[in-house]
Short mmCIF file of all heavy atoms in Angstrom, two decimals:
data_model
loop_
_atom_site.label_atom_id
_atom_site.label_comp_id
_atom_site.label_asym_id
_atom_site.label_seq_id
_atom_site.Cartn_x
_atom_site.Cartn_y
_atom_site.Cartn_z
N ARG A 1235 -29.78 5.72 6.57
CA ARG A 1235 -28.76 6.74 7.11
C ARG A 1235 -29.35 7.27 8.46
O ARG A 1235 -28.53 7.44 9.42
CB ARG A 1235 -28.58 7.80 6.15
CG ARG A 1235 -27.64 8.96 6.65
CD ARG A 1235 -26.28 8.49 7.01
NE ARG A 1235 -25.44 9.61 7.52
CZ ARG A 1235 -24.47 9.52 8.34
NH1 ARG A 1235 -24.10 8.30 8.79
NH2 ARG A 1235 -23.76 10.49 8.70
N LEU A 1236 -30.59 7.65 8.51
CA LEU A 1236 -31.20 8.08 9.77
C LEU A 1236 -31.10 7.00 10.87
O LEU A 1236 -30.79 7.47 12.02
CB LEU A 1236 -32.66 8.48 9.49
CG LEU A 1236 -33.34 9.04 10.69
CD1 LEU A 1236 -32.80 10.35 11.16
CD2 LEU A 1236 -34.86 9.29 10.36
N GLN A 1237 -31.31 5.86 10.62
CA GLN A 1237 -31.19 4.78 11.61
C GLN A 1237 -29.77 4.72 12.10
O GLN A 1237 -29.64 4.56 13.38
CB GLN A 1237 -31.58 3.40 10.97
CG GLN A 1237 -31.51 2.26 12.08
CD GLN A 1237 -31.54 0.95 11.46
OE1 GLN A 1237 -31.06 0.69 10.28
NE2 GLN A 1237 -32.10 -0.06 12.19
N ALA A 1238 -28.71 4.77 11.24
CA ALA A 1238 -27.41 4.70 11.72
C ALA A 1238 -27.10 5.88 12.66
O ALA A 1238 -26.41 5.73 13.71
CB ALA A 1238 -26.47 4.70 10.56
N ILE A 1239 -27.58 7.03 12.36
CA ILE A 1239 -27.35 8.27 13.20
C ILE A 1239 -28.05 8.07 14.51
O ILE A 1239 -27.43 8.34 15.53
CB ILE A 1239 -27.84 9.50 12.42
CG1 ILE A 1239 -26.96 9.77 11.26
CG2 ILE A 1239 -27.72 10.66 13.40
CD1 ILE A 1239 -27.54 10.90 10.33
N ARG A 1240 -29.30 7.63 14.50
CA ARG A 1240 -30.08 7.48 15.73
C ARG A 1240 -29.58 6.40 16.59
O ARG A 1240 -29.53 6.41 17.85
CB ARG A 1240 -31.51 7.29 15.41
CG ARG A 1240 -32.28 8.50 14.89
CD ARG A 1240 -33.70 8.27 14.64
NE ARG A 1240 -34.46 9.46 14.33
CZ ARG A 1240 -35.83 9.53 14.16
NH1 ARG A 1240 -36.53 8.42 14.30
NH2 ARG A 1240 -36.37 10.65 13.88
N GLN A 1241 -29.05 5.31 16.00
CA GLN A 1241 -28.47 4.13 16.72
C GLN A 1241 -27.30 4.58 17.50
O GLN A 1241 -27.08 4.08 18.70
CB GLN A 1241 -28.09 3.08 15.73
CG GLN A 1241 -27.59 1.80 16.36
CD GLN A 1241 -28.66 1.01 17.08
OE1 GLN A 1241 -29.80 1.31 16.97
NE2 GLN A 1241 -28.14 0.11 17.91
N GLU A 1242 -26.50 5.59 17.03
CA GLU A 1242 -25.38 6.13 17.80
C GLU A 1242 -25.84 6.93 19.04
O GLU A 1242 -25.17 6.82 20.09
CB GLU A 1242 -24.52 6.92 16.90
CG GLU A 1242 -23.73 6.15 15.83
CD GLU A 1242 -22.83 7.04 15.04
OE1 GLU A 1242 -22.76 8.25 15.34
OE2 GLU A 1242 -22.14 6.53 14.11
N ARG A 1243 -26.98 7.55 18.85
CA ARG A 1243 -27.48 8.44 19.95
C ARG A 1243 -28.25 7.69 20.93
O ARG A 1243 -28.09 7.82 22.20
CB ARG A 1243 -28.42 9.50 19.34
CG ARG A 1243 -28.84 10.55 20.26
CD ARG A 1243 -29.62 11.67 19.58
NE ARG A 1243 -30.06 12.71 20.38
CZ ARG A 1243 -29.41 13.72 20.87
NH1 ARG A 1243 -28.23 13.86 20.49
NH2 ARG A 1243 -29.93 14.60 21.68
N ARG A 1244 -29.12 6.73 20.49
CA ARG A 1244 -29.93 5.88 21.39
C ARG A 1244 -29.97 4.48 20.94
O ARG A 1244 -30.92 4.11 20.23
CB ARG A 1244 -31.39 6.46 21.52
CG ARG A 1244 -31.50 7.85 22.04
CD ARG A 1244 -33.00 8.21 22.12
NE ARG A 1244 -33.13 9.64 22.32
CZ ARG A 1244 -34.34 10.26 22.28
NH1 ARG A 1244 -35.47 9.59 22.04
NH2 ARG A 1244 -34.42 11.56 22.51
N PRO A 1245 -28.92 3.70 21.20
CA PRO A 1245 -28.77 2.33 20.67
C PRO A 1245 -29.98 1.46 21.12
O PRO A 1245 -30.49 1.49 22.17
CB PRO A 1245 -27.51 1.81 21.37
CG PRO A 1245 -26.78 3.09 21.78
CD PRO A 1245 -27.84 4.07 22.07
N ASN A 1246 -30.50 0.65 20.07
CA ASN A 1246 -31.43 -0.32 20.29
C ASN A 1246 -32.82 0.21 20.90
O ASN A 1246 -33.56 -0.48 21.54
CB ASN A 1246 -30.93 -1.43 21.21
CG ASN A 1246 -29.65 -2.06 20.68
OD1 ASN A 1246 -29.48 -2.28 19.52
ND2 ASN A 1246 -28.75 -2.23 21.56
N SER A 1247 -33.05 1.49 20.52
CA SER A 1247 -34.31 2.05 21.00
C SER A 1247 -35.37 2.06 19.87
O SER A 1247 -34.98 1.85 18.71
CB SER A 1247 -34.10 3.47 21.45
OG SER A 1247 -33.70 4.29 20.27
N THR A 1248 -36.58 2.18 20.23
CA THR A 1248 -37.70 2.30 19.21
C THR A 1248 -37.43 3.52 18.31
O THR A 1248 -37.63 3.51 17.10
CB THR A 1248 -39.10 2.53 19.90
OG1 THR A 1248 -39.32 1.43 20.79
CG2 THR A 1248 -40.14 2.67 18.83
#
Side-chain angles (χ1 to χ4, degrees):
R1235 175 59 179 154
L1236 182 62
Q1237 182 195 31
I1239 295 171
R1240 288 184 171 185
Q1241 184 68 14
E1242 291 183 3
R1243 187 174 179 84
R1244 298 183 194 171
N1246 304 316
S1247 64
T1248 301

